Amino acid sequence: MLKLIAKYPILYLSKQYNIGDEIIANNSDMVAAWIDADTAEWIDDEESVDQAEVTENTVPSAVPVSAEAGLTGEVTGEEDGDDLVGKIPKTPARARK
């Protein structure tokens, strides 16, 4: 299936389409103007499906990691010397299994 893809940023119907975004093709005059100006192009979606099959079989090389949530400050009733306000306490009941 063919899709109209932006090659340059396009503002159309109060929506900003960035490079690589799919543009709605409901107005044939605008589509012709974008193609003539070389700001958009038709791309066959079936080629991208083949690429998706290749990437699904690959193993990710990074492990997602995030920081502990909370703000520094004085805590009453703190456990194990934690000094983060709003942090979930580390208790045996909350430990990961």
Side-chain angles (χ1 to χ4, degrees):
M1 180 174 163
L2 291 176
K3 291 184 177 183
L4 186 63
I5 304 297
K7 292 172 71 175
Y8 291 93
I10 296 173
L11 179 64
Y12 179 60
L13 296 176
S14 301
K15 184 172 189 302
Q16 181 70 42
Y17 296 95
N18 293 319
I19 298 171
D21 290 348
E22 181 180 358
I23 307 170
I24 58 171
N26 61 352
N27 186 338
S28 61
D29 293 334
M30 289 303 299
V31 171
W34 292 326
I35 299 295
D36 291 342
D38 201 32
T39 57
E41 65 181 346
W42 289 105
I43 294 182
D44 190 11
D45 189 32
E46 293 176 5
E47 293 175 5
S48 62
V49 171
D50 294 336
Q51 293 290 2
E53 291 174 2
V54 172
T55 57
E56 286 177 5
N57 296 331
T58 59
V59 178
S61 61
V63 177
V65 178
S66 63
E68 288 185 321
L71 303 170
T72 58
E74 294 182 18
V75 180
T76 58
E78 62 187 69
E79 297 180 17
D80 301 322
D82 293 338
D83 62 348
L84 291 178
V85 177
K87 183 177 145 189
I88 298 173
K90 295 179 182 175
T91 61
R94 294 183 181 265
R96 291 187 181 202
K97 295 179 173 45

